[in-house]
Amino acid sequence: MNVVCLDLEGVLVPEIWIAFAEATGIEELKRTTRDEPDYDVLMNHRIDILREHGLGLQQIQDVIATIDPMPGAREFLDRLKPMTQVIIISDTFSQFAGPLMEKLGWPTIFCNELVVGGDGMITGYRMRCPQTKLTTVRALHDAGLQTIASGDSYNDVGMILDSKAGFLFRTTDALKAEYPDVPAYDTYDELFDAIKAAL
């Protein structure tokens, strides 16, 4: 049995932190996993910036409420679901994901959790497991499933390479150059056709 494992931000919805950076005018928050391979470095940097500016979870959630899925993302998922199981494996957080999952038709998502103080300030985060995406696809393999994976960033590469088929989607030229053997697509129709062929 196959399971399609998809990244969330940059694949199905816009990058949350970029949207928040644009809403607040804080350019430093535009840095994502496309730019920084070390997630701990990236998240600690973000938390420090939020603290400096006195911004907490509520302000981020207010911006998330305005974010819609990328054009065609919901339809892409709706086409996939009758063919195969689909899991979104994301390094986002449960406190961010809810409104976005509703707009995508409530797909299954595995993500992480923020640590939030009583004052609403983000003080840390808890990952589900080390190397969350790679660890998750390997656990699915151990459960007797085969995975087909797609994502756009450095933190997606492990699950893409460890799956029976994997694809980069709307990624950077740098990642395409670094992983020239991984097919890269820019439209949902192309990605759908590639997944369908791999099933």
Side-chain angles (χ1 to χ4, degrees):
M1 181 178 170
N2 295 296
V3 178
V4 173
C5 301
L6 299 172
D7 179 35
L8 177 64
E9 295 177 65
V11 173
L12 299 170
V13 302
E15 294 279 352
I16 291 168
W17 289 99
I18 290 177
F20 188 63
E22 290 172 349
T24 59
I26 303 171
E27 286 294 311
E28 294 169 283
L29 287 175
K30 287 188 176 179
R31 191 165 179 79
T32 71
T33 50
R34 288 180 168 205
D35 313 300
E36 175 55 66
D38 188 322
Y39 195 70
D40 285 329
V41 169
L42 181 63
M43 273 308 299
N44 287 321
H45 177 65
R46 288 168 170 168
I47 291 169
D48 288 344
I49 293 170
L50 292 175
R51 189 180 302 114
E52 284 172 25
H53 291 269
L55 297 168
L57 177 60
Q58 186 60 56
Q59 287 84 7
I60 301 173
Q61 288 176 327
D62 289 345
V63 171
I64 291 170
T66 70
I67 295 174
D68 288 321
M70 292 177 171
R74 171 74 184 261
E75 294 78 7
F76 167 69
L77 287 177
D78 288 346
R79 288 175 72 195
L80 274 182
K81 286 179 192 174
M83 295 169 44
T84 184
Q85 298 297 306
V86 179
I87 299 173
I88 296 173
I89 306 176
S90 175
D91 278 339
T92 195
F93 305 97
S94 57
Q95 294 95 330
F96 290 2
L100 299 170
M101 293 305 98
E102 181 177 6
K103 291 177 180 179
L104 287 169
W106 295 110
T108 298
I109 183 170
F110 295 168
C111 61
N112 303 308
E113 188 175 0
L114 290 168
V115 179
V116 183
D119 59 358
M121 298 300 289
I122 298 168
T123 59
Y125 60 98
R126 284 190 286 270
M127 305 294 277
R128 283 185 302 105
C129 52
Q131 293 183 289
T132 53
K133 297 182 182 188
L134 176 59
T135 301
T136 301
V137 297
R138 287 184 172 169
L140 291 169
H141 300 161
D142 288 343
L145 304 167
Q146 292 187 312
T147 57
I148 299 164
S150 184
D152 69 321
S153 298
Y154 280 103
N155 63 338
D156 300 311
V157 170
M159 74 170 180
I160 288 171
L161 296 179
D162 209 66
S163 293
K164 80 166 190 176
F167 315 106
L168 290 165
F169 185 69
R170 295 183 179 169
T171 191
T172 63
D173 289 339
L175 267 166
K176 288 179 187 176
E178 202 166 332
Y179 298 95
D181 295 334
V182 177
Y185 302 111
D186 291 311
T187 71
Y188 290 118
D189 284 343
E190 290 173 323
L191 184 58
F192 179 84
D193 289 344
I195 291 171
K196 185 177 180 181
L199 289 172

